[in-house]
Amino acid sequence: MSEVLARPSAAATAAAGGCALLVLRPVLLRDGAHPTATLAALFLLLLAVGWAWPRVSGGRASASVSAGAALAPVVAVGVGAFVLGRLVGGGHAPQPLALRVVALGSLAAVAEEAFFRRLVYDALLPGGAALAVGGSALLFALVHVSVYGFWVLPIDLAAGLVLSWQRWASGSWAAPAATHVLANLLVVI
């Protein structure tokens, strides 16, 4: 037995609300809103909801490569995938490297992983590991379209699949959170 989300229908509603807020980011940043403060508030809300959603005992154990899989190899595979993507994709940093950019990118990464790989993944897990991995990855990719455009969908879907695989393989959202922070740093260097 393992822990499962308490109040699953409320968790699904919270997941839908969080996805809606992420999709509405461009609207939230209009009309003179201070972008750093607005984004920080949004990501702190997602972090709080994703991380603190209550759990109860009694669910079936989630499938993973091994019950005690070490985080280091799973993180290494994920980071390797993002480093390879950065090397192959090339490009340039969209913003100059600054403490604000690093801090907000790191907060966004941890918040998105608490939300997508803890709350959303666990909400989908009763339907099986494939649904949890694929569904959380697809939602992750879709919420980025309103900010970056449809061209980013395949890239973010691939990223989401790597991060969701890490969640499945490690049994924890810590591995994808660490990888996502490093991936966001790769974008600005």
Side-chain angles (χ1 to χ4, degrees):
M1 295 296 214
S2 70
E3 289 188 337
V4 295
L5 290 177
R7 303 183 322 269
S9 60
T13 301
C19 286
L21 285 173
L22 286 167
V23 167
L24 291 172
R25 275 181 287 180
V27 174
L28 297 173
L29 295 174
R30 277 194 218 153
D31 301 325
H34 190 276
T36 301
T38 301
L39 289 172
L42 171 62
F43 290 125
L44 286 170
L45 175 65
L46 290 176
L47 177 61
V49 169
W51 180 63
W53 197 270
R55 300 201 154 3
V56 294
S57 295
R60 62 188 167 114
S62 64
S64 65
V65 172
S66 67
L71 290 180
V74 174
V75 171
V77 169
V79 170
F82 282 98
V83 167
L84 181 62
R86 179 71 166 130
L87 292 173
V88 170
H92 62 284
Q95 301 179 44
L97 185 60
L99 179 59
R100 179 187 62 78
V101 172
V102 171
L104 192 57
S106 298
L107 173 60
V110 173
E112 286 182 349
E113 293 315 310
F115 184 75
F116 286 106
R117 258 51 81 176
R118 187 174 188 270
L119 179 68
V120 173
Y121 181 99
D122 285 357
L124 296 172
L125 193 56
L131 177 64
V133 168
S136 61
L138 180 60
L139 286 172
F140 172 80
L142 288 172
V143 302
H144 288 88
V145 169
S146 66
V147 175
Y148 303 108
F150 277 100
W151 73 269
V152 80
L153 191 62
I155 295 166
D156 279 342
L157 181 58
L161 287 169
V162 168
L163 296 165
S164 293
W165 167 82
Q166 287 184 301
R167 167 63 172 88
W168 171 80
S170 69
S172 168
W173 67 278
T179 301
H180 197 157
V181 168
L182 292 171
N184 281 4
L185 291 173
L186 284 172
V187 171
V188 296
I189 58 172

